[in-house]
């Protein structure tokens, strides 16, 4: 377990450095930190997702199924096998990921967890394939659980909720969240590109509150370069 925690810490530091370099052009062909598989509400099988990631030439990614890490675990197995069969080839870095529903300012938001130790006890309530209730459903506890497991907590698509991102981001920052999903396509354009106005506003808020920026397609369909 000690080795795992050391590995997770190193992995989280590496991911933090990546997040510090993220800009509007990072997704979807260089990095992608928001995508779903058949293990929650996506259509891609993990092996097919990873095949696309390799074909696209992604440097790094995270599978963020809702309340499940089964897709991530299957993808990790595939990636290890692929690296074994393709020695010397450029392989994407796959971080652990999950999308967790939580209460923030009396509305439901989604919090993305990255680079956490999957077997850490604090994560157990959040990877049971169902939304938590009570204290475990509160954003403060979700953020704390991810961080206890050595991970980074990020507010997903901040401008997509029933309350303004101008309210939600400061509230999340006060609870100690690490970052926000800054570059996100809110109206599913083809080709995918982050929504200019919202991304600029979220980036400004991230800067104001000292938060990391992330990006992701939120893929639910069969193409990692699109949301649906």
């Amino acid at each position: 377990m000690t080795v795992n925690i050391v590995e997770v810490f190193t992995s989280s530091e590496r991911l933090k450095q990546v997040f510090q370099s993220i800009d509007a052009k990072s997704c979807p062909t260089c990095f992608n930190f928001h995508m779903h598989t058949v293990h929650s509400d996506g259509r891609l099988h993990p092996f097919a997702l990873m095949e696309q990631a390799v074909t696209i030439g992604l440097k790094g990614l995270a599978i963020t199924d809702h309340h499940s890490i089964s897709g991530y675990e299957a993808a990790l197995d595939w990636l290890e096998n692929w690296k074994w069969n393709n020695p010397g080839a450029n392989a994407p870095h796959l971080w652990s990921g999950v999308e967790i529903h939580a209460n923030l300012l009396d509305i439901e938001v989604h919090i993305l967890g990255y680079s956490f130790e999957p077997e850490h006890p604090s994560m157990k309530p959040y990877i049971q394939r169902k939304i938590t209730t009570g204290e475990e459903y509160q954003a403060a506890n979700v953020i704390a659980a991810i961080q206890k497991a050595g991970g980074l907590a990020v507010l997903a698509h901040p401008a997509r909720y029933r309350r303004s991102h101008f309210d939600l981001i400061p509230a999340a920052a006060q609870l100690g969240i690490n970052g926000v999903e800054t570059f996100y396509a809110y109206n599913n354009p083809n080709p995918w590109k982050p929504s200019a106005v919202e991304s600029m506003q979220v980036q400004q808020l991230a800067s104001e509150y000292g938060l990391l920026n992330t990006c992701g397609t939120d893929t639910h369909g069969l193409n990692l370069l699109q949301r649906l």
Side-chain angles (χ1 to χ4, degrees):
M1 182 61 77
T2 308
V3 174
N4 283 345
I5 291 297
V6 171
E7 285 175 357
V8 166
F9 178 77
T10 307
S11 183
S12 288
E13 285 303 306
R14 181 176 172 185
L15 183 57
K16 197 179 286 185
Q17 289 173 356
V18 170
F19 285 166
Q20 287 167 344
S21 71
I22 291 291
D23 61 27
K25 295 180 180 175
S26 298
C27 284
T29 56
C30 194
F31 294 100
N32 196 340
F33 294 107
H34 196 164
M35 54 188 87
H36 299 274
T37 74
V38 294
H39 289 271
S40 67
D41 57 347
R43 294 176 62 198
L44 276 169
H45 287 272
F47 74 87
L49 184 152
M50 292 306 299
E51 285 172 351
Q52 282 191 44
V54 168
T55 301
I56 291 166
L58 285 179
K59 292 181 182 177
L61 69 153
I63 292 169
T64 52
D65 282 321
H66 295 269
H67 295 269
S68 173
I69 58 168
S70 302
Y72 157 72
E73 290 172 333
L76 190 61
D77 285 344
W78 184 95
L79 182 59
E80 292 304 318
N81 189 54
W82 185 87
K83 286 194 285 191
W84 177 263
N85 289 310
N86 296 273
N90 286 331
H93 190 91
L94 176 65
W95 281 276
S96 59
V98 68
E99 186 167 13
I100 300 168
H101 299 225
N103 176 65
L104 179 64
L105 297 183
D106 295 323
I107 66 157
E108 183 168 272
V109 299
H110 295 174
I111 295 173
L112 297 160
Y114 296 114
S115 192
F116 51 87
E117 167 53 52
E119 295 176 2
H120 193 281
S122 71
M123 292 303 296
K124 190 172 182 183
Y126 301 108
I127 52 175
Q128 304 293 324
R129 296 178 181 268
K130 60 177 188 265
I131 299 170
T132 53
T133 57
E135 287 300 305
E136 289 170 348
Y137 180 62
Q138 301 305 311
N141 293 323
V142 173
I143 293 166
I146 293 165
Q147 293 170 345
K148 279 178 190 169
L152 301 173
V154 168
L155 181 63
H157 38 66
R160 223 182 95 187
Y161 301 112
R162 289 188 293 110
R163 285 196 67 161
S164 166
H165 45 297
F166 292 101
D167 296 330
L168 293 170
I169 291 173
Q174 194 171 14
L175 297 178
I177 207 161
N178 300 100
V180 285
E181 191 172 34
T182 301
F183 302 103
Y184 186 88
Y186 286 93
N187 48 3
N188 197 35
N190 188 7
W192 188 94
K193 64 177 180 179
S195 303
V197 173
E198 291 90 340
S199 294
M200 181 184 68
Q201 292 170 344
V202 172
Q203 191 173 20
Q204 287 173 344
L205 287 161
S207 176
E208 185 178 343
Y209 290 95
L211 302 174
L212 298 165
N213 298 295
T214 77
C215 67
T217 54
D218 197 4
T219 294
H220 285 75
L222 296 173
N223 183 355
L224 286 189
L225 301 179
Q226 283 290 114
R227 178 166 182 260
L228 301 173

